[in-house]
Amino acid sequence: MNQEEANRYHHLLGVQKKRFTYLKSDFLDYVIMIVMCALALFFSYGFENVMAKTGLILCAIMLVVFPLRHGVKFTVPIIFRRPQEFWYMVIYRLVNIEPVMLIAAGILLVENVLISLTPQLPHNTELVREVAFYLIYIHFAIITAYRTVILVAHLIKKELVRDVLIETLWKRTVTKKTGVTLEIFHSYFTGLLAHLMMLIPWYLVVSYLNFSVLFLPIICIANYFVFSHSLGGILRWYYRDHWLGHNAELDFVYLHGAHHDAIPSALLAADESGFLEGVVRQALGRPIALFNPLMASIYYTIKVWENVTGHQYIPGIYPKAAERTQHAIHHHGNLEPYGLPFNLASLMHILPEKEKAKFEKMTEREKEAYRLDEILTGFQWNNPKFIWYQQLIRKYNAQEARKKAQAQES
């Protein structure tokens, strides 16, 4: 990587200001952001759609909960004080588009052109569209059911949630008068709204573009090929996008901040994104929304399920806390790493042989994408914060194991 490319990842047109949490002075910006979410839900799903109605209720809840959790300070919103940064935000996203998005969009465009040129063929586009909507609803229902099971597990062990978080930077949050129960529900509602928002690009693609039954096999194969070769590009895109989310203040407040506003539980996750950020990332960063609905439903269900599970950083509660990921320390107050939360060398020790062979065949450019934090910031994987997190995991896993043993004996 040459110096010019390295500089691109940390380039800002506006003022750099590192952000990790919302402040009470962000209230009016937060209100504007939630109103934008409500408008996006209304115009994308349609008011009569159950997903829109659910999303609008969640938006109202978020507006009520923000003052309870953070307080209120009325200041001129950032978006009015520095309006040019909105346009910078747009430029950053357009410049950061990786070729994989253009390839996926090209495949979808070619399919739609072929459908329009062959109206005499039985493409059954309306049938595919109807089935695709069902796939979206089924996907959302599956993840919501999983998220709700996790919610119940957290409520049953809410004292354990509180005990764990008191030992972390979240201490002030869970010891406020609002209490841990509100924090658990807030995390749950955050995950639900983030999920509904990230599905908007997929819903719009299904609503306004066509998919052919006849082309389904070849398109699914093409989608699989694109997805299986997209990881290097997505890692580069994600590092840049994530760095912006914490270093460009408007990006944090309007895009990424909601993802860090909830306690570090599996409940909050959908796809590493805040509310509006989910729409932007699925439209400009990840290609899945552009795939055939069958492939999109498979990939989205697997990836969102993994993302929910992978964001459990409170040990002793279902699902089992993620142990090896450095993303845990990111949600416990450490800004780095911005990119892949695993050390490639350590991954090689735990992967099955088939997966190891795939990594060994990677090009140097792909391997570089895995090591962006090391290359750009000198990030050390065996850092004090990660050692602390490992100790926290061991402590509460051992505590829960003792409780189970005592229960079995009695």
Side-chain angles (χ1 to χ4, degrees), residues 82 122 143 146 284 343 350 370 406:
R82 302 197 300 271
I143 301 299
Y146 180 45
L284 299 175
N343 182 354
I350 62 174
Y370 277 83
Q406 290 169 359

Side-chain angles (χ1 to χ4, degrees), residues 6 31 313:
V31 171
Y313 307 133

Side-chain angles (χ1 to χ4, degrees), residues 1 11 37 39 137 146 202 229 261 287 333 367:
M1 180 188 300
H11 174 65
C37 290
L39 292 172
Y137 298 136
Y146 180 45
W202 185 21
H229 290 79
D261 194 35
K367 291 178 182 178

Side-chain angles (χ1 to χ4, degrees), residues 28-219:
L28 290 180
D29 280 296
Y30 189 85
V31 171
I32 295 169
M33 183 270 289
I34 291 294
V35 170
M36 289 179 177
C37 290
L39 292 172
L41 289 162
F42 178 83
F43 287 108
S44 300
Y45 293 117
F47 184 72
E48 295 301 317
N49 189 293
V50 65
M51 295 177 77
K53 291 179 179 178
T54 303
L56 292 173
I57 292 170
L58 291 168
C59 286
I61 291 172
M62 290 298 166
L63 287 178
V64 172
V65 171
F66 186 97
L68 296 176
R69 298 178 66 248
H70 297 289
V72 174
K73 181 179 180 181
F74 292 101
T75 59
V76 178
I78 300 168
I79 199 166
F80 294 151
R81 277 185 279 141
R82 302 197 300 271
Q84 70 276 13
E85 295 201 7
F86 171 80
W87 299 110
Y88 296 160
M89 190 163 59
V90 173
I91 293 168
Y92 297 149
R93 267 70 203 180
L94 294 177
V95 172
N96 198 35
I97 292 175
E98 284 285 327
V100 63
M101 286 298 298
L102 303 179
I103 294 169
I107 292 170
L108 181 56
L109 177 62
V110 168
E111 181 177 13
N112 275 260
V113 169
L114 291 176
I115 290 171
S116 66
L117 292 176
T118 56
Q120 71 279 10
L121 296 179
H123 294 293
N124 291 309
T125 55
E126 289 306 315
L127 174 62
V128 175
R129 181 172 288 111
E130 184 178 355
V131 171
F133 283 133
Y134 278 112
L135 290 174
I136 293 173
Y137 298 136
I138 291 169
H139 158 81
F140 183 72
I142 290 170
I143 301 299
T144 300
Y146 180 45
R147 197 187 305 279
T148 303
V149 170
I150 297 171
L151 170 67
V152 173
H154 280 62
L155 291 173
I156 290 172
K157 292 188 174 183
K158 65 180 182 180
E159 292 306 319
L160 176 59
V161 174
R162 186 177 182 276
D163 290 345
V164 174
L165 294 180
I166 280 176
E167 296 192 39
T168 73
L169 290 178
W170 293 92
K171 177 180 180 179
R172 284 188 294 178
T173 301
V174 295
T175 54
K176 287 179 180 177
K177 62 181 180 180
T178 49
V180 71
T181 302
L182 176 64
E183 293 302 323
I184 291 171
F185 273 107
H186 172 257
S187 190
Y188 177 73
F189 294 144
T190 295
L192 281 176
L193 183 54
H195 193 191
L196 284 169
M197 294 297 294
M198 67 161 279
L199 292 178
I200 285 176
W202 185 21
Y203 192 89
L204 292 176
V205 167
V206 168
S207 299
Y208 295 104
L209 294 168
N210 293 315
F211 297 91
S212 169
V213 170
L214 297 178
F215 300 152
L216 188 144
I218 187 68
I219 295 297

Side-chain angles (χ1 to χ4, degrees), residues 236-284:
R236 288 189 292 272
W237 160 81
Y238 177 73
Y239 182 97
R240 169 64 172 163
D241 197 77
H242 193 197
W243 185 88
L244 287 167
H246 285 286
N247 289 271
E249 189 172 26
L250 199 70
D251 287 58
F252 178 83
V253 174
Y254 281 83
L255 297 180
H256 195 55
H259 185 64
H260 285 276
D261 194 35
I263 57 174
S265 158
L267 294 167
L268 73 86
D271 188 41
E272 302 285 354
S273 304
F275 305 142
L276 287 175
E277 185 178 40
V279 181
V280 176
R281 284 184 166 180
Q282 297 305 318
L284 299 175

Side-chain angles (χ1 to χ4, degrees), residues 351-367:
L351 289 172
E353 291 302 320
K354 186 177 179 180
E355 291 295 312
K356 284 182 182 179
K358 184 171 70 173
F359 278 103
E360 287 169 355
K361 293 178 182 177
M362 288 193 306
T363 65
E364 289 303 314
R365 177 70 169 164
E366 289 173 321
K367 291 178 182 178

Side-chain angles (χ1 to χ4, degrees), residues 336-353:
E336 296 172 357
Y338 293 110
L340 186 79
F342 296 99
N343 182 354
L344 186 57
S346 66
L347 274 179
M348 296 297 286
H349 292 296
I350 62 174
L351 289 172
E353 291 302 320

